[in-house]
Amino acid sequence: MPVHGKVVAAYGNMVTASFDESVRQNEVAYILASDGSKLKSEVIRVRGNNCNVQVFEDTKGIKIGDTVEFTGDLLVVELGPGLLQQIYDGLQNPLPKLSKATGLFLKRGIYFEALDRSLKWDFTPLAKQGDEICAGDILGWVPEGKFTHQIFVPFNFIGKAKIVKMADAGSYTVDNVIAEVENEAGKRILLNMVQQWPIKIPLKNYEERLLPTEPLVTGCRIIDSFCPVAKGGTACIPGPFGSGKTVLQQLISRYADVDIIIVAACGERAGEVVETLKEFPHLADPYSEGRTLIERTVIICNTSSMPVAAREASIYTAITIGEYYRQMGLHVLLLADSTSRWAQALREMSGRLEEIPGEEAFPAYLQSRIAEFYERACCVRLKSGKIGSVSVIGTVSPAGGNFEEPVTQGTLAVVGAFHGLTWARSNARRFPAIDPLISWSKYLDQMAESLNKRDPEWVNLIKKTQKIMFEGNEVKKRMDVVGEEGTSAADFVLMLKAEFLDAVYLQQNAFDNVDAYNTLERQIYTFGKVFKILQKDIAIKDKDEGRQTFFRLTSLFKNWNSSEWQSDKFRKLENEVNAFIGSEK
Amino acid sequence: MREIITKIDEITGNIATLKASNVGLGELAVVMSPGRSTPGQVIRISGDSATLQIFGGTKGISTSDKVRFLGHPMQVKYGESLLGRIFNGSGVPIDGGPEPVEEEIPIGGPSFNPANRIIPRQMIRTNIPMIDLFNSLVISQKLPIFSVPGEPYNQLLARVGMQADADIIVLGGMGLKFDDFTFFRRTFEESGVMNRVIMFIHQASDPVVECLLVPDMSLAVAERFAEAGKKVLVLLTDMTNFADSLKEISISMEQIPSNRGYPGDLYSQLAARYEKAVDIEGLGSITLLAVTTMPGDDVTHPIPDNTGYITEGQFYLRRGVIDPFGSLSRLKQNVVSKVTRKDHNDIMNTMVRLFSDCRESRNKIAMGFKVSKWDETLLAYGSDFEKEMMDLNVNMSIEDALDKCWEMLARHFEPMQTGLKNDLVAEFWPKTLEK
Ligand SMILES: Nc1ncnc2c1ncn2[C@@H]1O[C@H](COP(=O)(O)OP(=O)(O)OP(=O)(O)O)[C@@H](O)[C@H]1O
Ligand SMILES: [Mg+2]
């Protein structure tokens, strides 16, 4: 029997309700509006016999005295086979299904099951009658695309139990019973392939959390070489509007060497999700022959004009789905665009709760919420011995493009890598507009052992190169003041080298089919050549000649970058590169 | 419709609080003062009291005024008969014509299901080369014009309205000066497009917060026409007034401001409007062009800043021209050289690159450096580019503009100097004008 209450106040998407019995912090409640719709909401504060609920829907028409139904359940997501290829809103409502039911526009108060109940899955049991089981144990598996989707004993299963009856191999819907178990109290429990997990609680069913030490290759040179991301690690991409955050994330979503991509479009443009939505079914998965990108993707889409409270929930929905697939020993990457919109949703609620505001009116707990979220990214050793990971790359949209604001600062304090985009670079069309002088990654050292497998000196080479980058920039700044005449030839060459590195290695043409994405193998190869040129003594007669030399080199490398790996053109251009490297000063 | 005779308890700013029961959040009310009635909307309910946001402002409202609740949220008339008509910020005709007879539709409706969206691939022609050629406007795009007071942004908007290939133009004016209002009206009438224009005009002399409804009414009407298969162009000016009204209301509600006095939900409020832009598969579309005047010419001010995070690019209108450098149509790559002529992409990039080189040459002169022959070529090109392309009075189709660009290039450069691809040069370089 659900507990009932009554609306006593409402303002924006916050409703205050009175109740008689007891309510639970963060439980789901439904407001029964007078037009007959049931509006999903969440208890966010309890005070005496009143509680505040944030409503996940438009609150138009709510009246004093409307009934509130408390469910006693926390906000959960459904987990099971069939999550891949889906497009959900922030509360895991499947948008295509909603479209069939309500037409062109969203309609409030209509909820569908997240997983398709009619689809049948080829189930192979792995557990058998008599086995003792507990939460997170594997009962069997079904093929989901190229993945072995493991079917677990629900992660919230309490205590131990014995399997009384196990389903045979066969074709089942997620609702069909696949195991009957008896717990220690002698109670019989039926298990099927779908389970639920509260989104705000990290799923921790693993043996051990590991330090992330393996690189997550994005295909983007400046990231992978200079500010790498680890599998199970975190990174943030702050940048003013139009600096290229979304384009960068879209590139990563296509090329990252992980098993599963979760795209969380959190409070940004609907049009941008549509590109992913419409293009992924036609784009080849670079890691599996004959499959398309959509087969490894889940899209959580709570765009800017959709309800704000559901936006707050959306990134938790996304990461919970990620944690679920991690449990199968898969590597998952969550791309959240933009975490600032999530933080703003927190701010809106906090304001309505009349909490004492912190900086820029964000709630005082902003920092800890950001930390809690990013802490859910991790690399773990599972009970099965397999390694799984969830990595998070979140964009940040700082007000006025100023990185000193609370969300950027709060994020920088907890992430492992920082890819800062600036207008200085995007306006100069130096894409990706990651500023190499301000960006950093803690993983460069943390993953040194793994990275140095490519080349025993790799990390050192990168650091040497960074030094050239900084020194070249110093020269450039000085030159702006004293002019070319006041710059020594050696300094001038250093500056040209840094510019060359920028033009042919840090910058990458997202719209060139070849250059858009570099395998690690290719990056190491190209970097080797670039580094040789940086190390080469290049004597110049005068500055114009120096400029000409590097102009030619840059154009040579750019052509090389856009030629297919190991193609004839590639080899021909490589010979030219080698000829230059081997030439006299 | 229920009439509630009630005493208003409290009036602050544009907010009135009164005793009322059984009213819904968002419900429309009318405050009836002697000689005038002002619409208001329920924005907060608590126990037996309701808080109204009074659109017409609270000036002169008395605690003994009657308040009538209408039982529904704000609505607007919708139908063919709106074409050619002008309404104020509350949807009341101000052109002397009759009240339209058609149905009323709710405003501020739910958002378009993202799963139903399509990738827009049609261009809207405006015959303004700085738009069509250099930053093409795409159907369903939302784009602000960032400018400052004194710039001819309303003239630009009117020209786009007049010339764009749209079925219906909805003009939403917020804080519009009488002169500008007259200008729009006259321009649309004289150019013969008025019969496909609908105007919702909040004038500078109207109560400030009345402008809050203008975008919602404009977009609600536009949405219905789009569903009915029409290609709708919505022009809004000036969204800064809209944002400032939001600020006023939130301060009256004692909300804690987030940034320079603006409410924390400014982003969501603006996005709720801009995201109405849509291309509906098989039906019509809404394309949205909105003026945002930047306080202090500062793009990091919360209004342009939040806008930039929502829209799909921006036009900078500076010194009377659309600046080719900061301006960007993020959707142009969907159409450039795909639905437009194949030389479009290369011409667009080459022309701007050369103009940017010209700017460097100008800097050289300004700093007293010697100019080379090449600099002189660039300078001559640059001033022709400004006169023949950038000037807002230039009016030609994109095809003519492309031809004109080739002609300008040939006038000043050798093909080699432009860096244009050989095959394009072979096909398009003007034969007669070869230098
Ligand atoms: N790698 C790139 N190569 C070429 N152009 C790019 C690249 N990245 C971004 N751009 C250009 O910049 C525009 C804006 O990029 P994007 O949408 O990624 O910005 P954003 O930082 O996400 O902005 P917002 O904060 O407003 O969402 C793109 O439409 C494109 O024109
Ligand atoms: Mg973006």
Side-chain angles (χ1 to χ4, degrees):
Chain A
M1 245 304 275
V3 173
H4 286 98
K6 293 255 173 271
V7 172
V8 296
Y11 175 38
N13 65 339
M14 196 190 70
V15 165
T16 311
S18 65
F19 58 91
D20 302 328
E21 290 159 68
S22 65
V23 301
R24 195 176 167 199
Q25 173 75 334
N26 296 111
E27 76 167 279
V28 172
Y30 288 94
I31 295 168
L32 310 184
S34 42
D35 67 350
S37 51
K38 256 180 117 169
L39 310 179
K40 198 170 190 170
S41 34
E42 180 188 11
V43 175
I44 54 170
R45 185 168 70 189
V46 186
R47 271 190 183 167
N49 274 345
N50 280 348
C51 65
N52 297 112
V53 301
Q54 63 169 340
V55 186
F56 294 121
E57 305 273 8
D58 184 3
T59 50
K60 252 185 223 134
I62 288 183
K63 291 181 173 172
I64 301 295
D66 282 352
T67 301
V68 182
E69 205 176 275
F70 296 96
T71 62
D73 299 323
L74 300 179
L75 197 60
V76 294
V77 284
E78 257 189 15
L79 302 168
L83 290 165
L84 297 179
Q85 310 197 30
Q86 291 280 8
I87 159 165
Y88 293 122
D89 76 359
L91 301 175
Q92 218 196 3
N93 219 357
L95 289 171
K97 220 171 213 176
L98 211 60
S99 144
K100 284 207 189 93
T102 69
L104 293 174
F105 296 89
L106 297 171
K107 191 159 184 261
R108 68 178 188 177
I110 295 187
Y111 309 105
F112 288 101
E113 280 154 333
L115 296 175
D116 193 325
R117 293 320 202 247
S118 60
L119 264 182
K120 291 209 163 180
W121 299 90
D122 280 327
F123 176 73
T124 307
L126 292 172
K128 56 184 186 312
Q129 192 177 342
D131 283 358
E132 184 168 273
I133 53 112
C134 64
D137 283 353
I138 297 161
L139 293 171
W141 63 279
V142 302
E144 181 178 18
K146 66 173 171 180
F147 302 105
T148 300
H149 187 121
Q150 295 173 335
I151 306 299
F152 301 100
V153 174
F155 296 109
N156 55 8
F157 191 89
I158 299 165
K160 286 193 166 46
K162 229 192 193 96
I163 299 180
V164 185
K165 207 171 137 199
M166 190 68 212
D168 295 329
S171 168
Y172 300 92
T173 69
V174 291
D175 273 337
N176 291 152
V177 173
I178 51 150
E180 190 174 341
V181 302
E182 188 175 293
N183 69 9
E184 287 154 317
K187 195 175 162 224
R188 293 258 169 136
I189 300 164
L190 302 176
L191 301 178
N192 58 20
M193 294 200 271
V194 52
Q195 60 166 310
Q196 298 184 323
W197 185 262
I199 60 171
K200 292 197 179 156
I201 298 177
L203 179 51
K204 288 193 170 163
N205 193 285
Y206 49 76
E207 278 296 305
E208 186 191 2
R209 188 167 167 170
L210 307 169
L211 194 68
T213 53
E214 286 303 315
L216 187 164
V217 180
T218 63
C220 173
R221 289 187 292 257
I222 183 170
I223 296 182
D224 296 342
S225 299
F226 289 88
C227 318
V229 187
K231 289 208 171 91
T234 53
C236 72
I237 308 177
F241 67 77
S243 56
K245 301 180 288 299
T246 306
V247 171
L248 184 57
Q249 281 217 335
Q250 285 172 341
L251 285 169
I252 297 174
S253 70
R254 290 176 187 199
Y255 301 122
D257 73 332
V258 291
D259 299 307
I260 286 172
I261 296 281
I262 301 183
V263 175
C266 173
E268 292 286 304
R269 305 168 186 83
E272 292 168 346
V273 193
V274 177
E275 282 172 31
T276 304
L277 206 72
K278 300 279 170 185
E279 284 171 5
F280 272 30
H282 308 290
L283 292 174
D285 176 348
Y287 300 96
S288 334
E289 200 60 55
R291 297 205 178 265
T292 61
L293 281 176
I294 199 76
E295 296 177 64
R296 66 159 194 176
T297 310
V298 185
I299 300 171
I300 309 294
C301 167
N302 214 100
T303 52
S304 57
S305 62
M306 289 162 75
V308 172
R311 186 200 294 170
E312 195 259 334
S314 67
I315 64 161
Y316 297 105
T317 298
I319 200 154
T320 310
I321 294 174
E323 287 170 336
Y324 176 66
Y325 280 101
R326 177 201 69 198
Q327 289 300 116
M328 300 171 204
L330 297 173
H331 296 288
V332 182
L333 171 61
L334 164 59
L335 295 163
D337 187 14
S338 150
T339 60
S340 292
R341 307 302 164 217
W342 161 74
Q344 288 178 346
L346 283 180
R347 175 166 73 186
E348 283 185 35
M349 263 352 272
S350 164
R352 301 226 161 84
L353 288 169
E354 294 173 0
E355 292 172 337
I356 296 166
E359 222 182 312
E360 290 184 20
F362 282 106
Y365 46 79
L366 174 71
Q367 162 76 65
S368 63
R369 290 284 169 88
I370 293 175
E372 274 165 29
F373 171 69
Y374 280 100
E375 266 300 296
R376 289 177 74 167
C378 60
C379 180
V380 300
R381 192 163 52 79
L382 300 158
K383 287 180 190 156
S384 63
K386 282 192 193 162
I387 308 287
S389 71
V390 177
S391 317
V392 177
I393 303 180
T395 66
V396 184
S397 315
N402 178 1
F403 291 172
E404 298 308 312
E405 57 89 46
V407 185
T408 314
Q409 287 302 313
T411 309
L412 283 180
V414 296
V415 292
F418 162 52
H419 306 137
L421 307 188
T422 60
W423 267 337
R425 285 185 73 83
S426 67
N427 286 343
R429 318 227 39 90
R430 294 180 177 216
F431 289 115
I434 299 173
D435 187 337
L437 300 173
I438 59 170
S439 301
W440 46 258
S441 167
K442 294 179 187 163
Y443 302 118
L444 193 58
D445 286 321
Q446 192 170 312
M447 303 192 298
E449 204 184 308
S450 169
L451 293 174
N452 285 342
K453 279 186 216 146
R454 317 167 175 184
D455 173 338
E457 279 300 301
W458 179 259
V459 174
N460 281 337
L461 296 187
I462 291 295
K463 289 191 172 166
K464 275 189 193 153
T465 310
Q466 280 171 331
K467 201 158 157 263
I468 295 173
M469 216 155 68
F470 278 101
E471 288 171 356
N473 183 58
E474 286 305 313
V475 175
K476 200 171 164 194
K477 276 197 293 196
R478 235 178 302 138
M479 214 166 74
D480 285 343
V481 183
V482 299
E484 244 173 70
E485 297 73 35
T487 308
S488 74
D491 274 358
F492 193 72
V493 170
L494 182 64
M495 189 274 296
L496 288 174
K497 281 179 173 174
E499 281 290 301
F500 163 74
L501 170 72
D502 190 350
V504 308
Y505 200 79
L506 304 183
Q507 292 172 44
Q508 209 167 337
N509 186 350
F511 297 114
D512 181 285
N513 285 338
V514 176
D515 197 32
Y517 157 68
N518 268 197
T519 59
L520 206 52
E521 190 187 9
R522 182 164 184 162
Q523 286 187 39
I524 294 164
Y525 201 81
T526 311
F527 182 79
K529 304 291 179 195
V530 171
F531 190 75
K532 287 226 169 79
I533 286 176
L534 296 181
Q535 292 301 308
K536 190 179 161 73
D537 260 336
I538 298 175
I540 53 168
K541 278 205 289 294
D542 56 41
K543 291 181 176 130
D544 260 349
E545 192 217 50
R547 235 191 222 111
Q548 283 306 320
T549 305
F550 276 92
F551 183 71
R552 271 203 320 276
L553 265 181
T554 304
S555 136
L556 172 59
F557 267 80
K558 278 193 169 167
N559 278 316
W560 194 40
N561 279 340
S562 63
S563 60
E564 204 88 49
W565 176 241
Q566 297 301 356
S567 63
D568 287 347
K569 188 174 163 209
F570 179 93
R571 288 207 201 86
K572 184 176 151 278
L573 292 167
E574 186 186 351
N575 286 339
E576 287 181 41
V577 169
N578 288 340
F580 180 85
I581 294 171
S583 67
E584 290 297 304
K585 292 190 174 187
Chain B
M1 199 189 299
R2 307 178 317 277
E3 189 155 313
I4 297 175
I5 300 175
T6 178
K7 188 171 143 345
I8 298 180
D9 292 330
E10 200 184 312
I11 304 171
T12 38
N14 299 296
I15 302 294
T17 306
L18 48 93
K19 294 271 176 295
S21 59
N22 202 28
V23 301
L25 217 49
E27 188 170 337
L28 190 63
V30 181
V31 181
M32 292 175 302
S33 319
R36 96 181 167 126
S37 51
T38 316
Q41 191 177 22
V42 179
I43 54 173
R44 177 181 230 154
I45 48 177
S46 180
D48 60 355
S49 78
T51 304
L52 290 182
Q53 165 183 323
I54 311 289
F55 291 113
T58 50
K59 213 173 277 169
I61 285 185
S62 137
T63 51
S64 60
D65 285 348
K66 276 190 209 166
V67 178
R68 210 172 73 194
F69 286 89
L70 305 184
H72 59 75
M74 190 69 196
Q75 294 178 324
V76 67
K77 288 269 169 52
Y78 160 74
E80 294 282 331
S81 80
L82 266 72
L83 294 171
R85 300 295 309 275
I86 308 174
F87 306 89
N88 73 5
S90 309
V92 177
I94 50 170
D95 53 2
E99 184 74 41
V101 289
E102 283 126 323
E103 59 170 328
E104 286 198 298
I105 57 164
I107 67 169
S111 42
F112 198 80
N113 186 333
N116 293 335
R117 283 186 185 256
I118 52 173
I119 301 179
R121 300 196 191 278
Q122 274 174 279
M123 177 174 137
I124 286 206
R125 290 165 170 266
T126 65
N127 288 352
I128 299 172
M130 288 316 284
I131 298 179
D132 293 1
L133 206 161
F134 293 99
N135 276 301
S136 326
L137 193 58
V138 176
I139 284 235
S140 89
Q141 191 160 18
K142 39 191 179 289
L143 209 75
I145 298 169
F146 286 160
S147 196
V148 290
E151 292 286 342
Y153 46 82
N154 284 333
Q155 281 71 6
L156 176 60
L157 220 50
R159 258 196 68 202
V160 173
M162 235 158 41
Q163 301 186 172
D165 54 343
D167 301 326
I168 287 172
I169 294 130
V170 182
L171 174 73
M174 287 152 281
L176 208 57
K177 288 202 288 283
F178 180 76
D179 298 4
D180 290 327
F181 171 38
T182 315
F183 161 76
F184 274 114
R185 189 176 179 164
R186 215 172 264 160
T187 309
F188 289 150
E189 274 167 1
E190 283 168 7
S191 62
V193 296
M194 194 63 196
N195 59 350
R196 47 191 180 95
V197 173
I198 303 168
M199 302 206 304
F200 291 96
I201 304 294
H202 165 263
Q203 298 192 56
S205 54
D206 293 339
V208 176
V209 290
E210 204 171 9
C211 82
L212 279 177
L213 296 171
V214 168
D216 285 339
M217 287 196 293
S218 306
L219 290 162
V221 168
E223 200 161 75
R224 283 298 177 95
F225 276 115
E227 274 184 89
K230 301 280 192 241
K231 202 162 147 194
V232 188
L233 177 66
V234 176
L235 307 170
L236 298 174
T237 175
D238 166 353
M239 285 300 276
T240 299
N241 291 326
F242 172 77
D244 282 336
S245 293
L246 286 176
K247 174 163 105 173
E248 268 201 58
I249 290 289
S250 80
I251 288 173
S252 310
M253 289 298 283
E254 295 174 1
Q255 271 181 28
I256 296 135
S258 66
N259 220 321
R260 295 202 228 179
Y262 291 89
D265 67 354
L266 180 62
Y267 174 85
S268 301
Q269 293 284 1
L270 290 172
R273 276 78 191 187
Y274 281 112
E275 283 279 311
K276 289 280 178 199
V278 68
D279 187 2
I280 312 178
E281 193 162 18
L283 300 171
S285 61
I286 299 178
T287 309
L288 211 169
L289 207 55
V291 168
T292 298
T293 50
M294 300 185 285
D297 201 4
D298 174 12
V299 72
T300 69
H301 181 281
I303 301 174
D305 185 49
N306 278 289
T307 304
Y309 275 119
I310 292 163
T311 52
E312 290 153 335
Q314 64 282 325
F315 292 154
Y316 283 98
L317 185 64
R318 291 197 180 109
R319 272 158 261 136
V321 293
I322 297 178
D323 187 335
F325 298 118
S327 302
L328 174 70
S329 156
R330 293 200 200 175
L331 299 187
K332 72 177 170 193
Q333 55 254 43
N334 292 4
V335 297
V336 170
S337 291
K338 288 179 182 150
V339 300
T340 59
R341 226 163 74 179
K342 70 175 174 198
D343 54 332
H344 185 175
N345 191 45
D346 292 78
I347 282 290
M348 171 179 91
N349 291 330
T350 305
M351 295 294 284
V352 173
R353 183 168 42 78
L354 290 169
F355 185 59
S356 153
D357 292 346
C358 158
R359 205 168 56 163
E360 272 174 31
S361 301
R362 285 179 185 171
N363 285 345
K364 263 194 186 171
I365 296 179
M367 295 189 349
F369 289 121
K370 217 177 89 200
V371 294
S372 63
K373 190 114 199 299
W374 174 240
D375 287 323
E376 278 166 17
T377 308
L378 288 170
L379 291 169
Y381 160 78
S383 74
D384 280 2
F385 182 74
E386 284 174 336
K387 277 200 290 277
E388 295 168 41
M389 280 292 140
M390 282 173 65
D391 191 315
L392 274 188
N393 293 316
V394 177
N395 193 9
M396 60 178 109
S397 72
I398 179 167
E399 289 78 13
D400 289 347
L402 284 168
D403 291 343
K404 182 93 191 168
C405 286
W406 283 106
E407 192 254 307
M408 282 170 71
L409 289 173
R411 198 187 307 156
H412 296 283
F413 303 99
E414 299 294 338
M416 222 268 299
Q417 294 173 315
T418 62
L420 280 159
K421 285 187 209 128
N422 292 337
D423 51 339
L424 285 178
V425 169
E427 185 172 344
F428 292 101
W429 197 270
K431 301 287 176 286
T432 48
L433 259 156
E434 219 136 358
K435 228 165 62 169

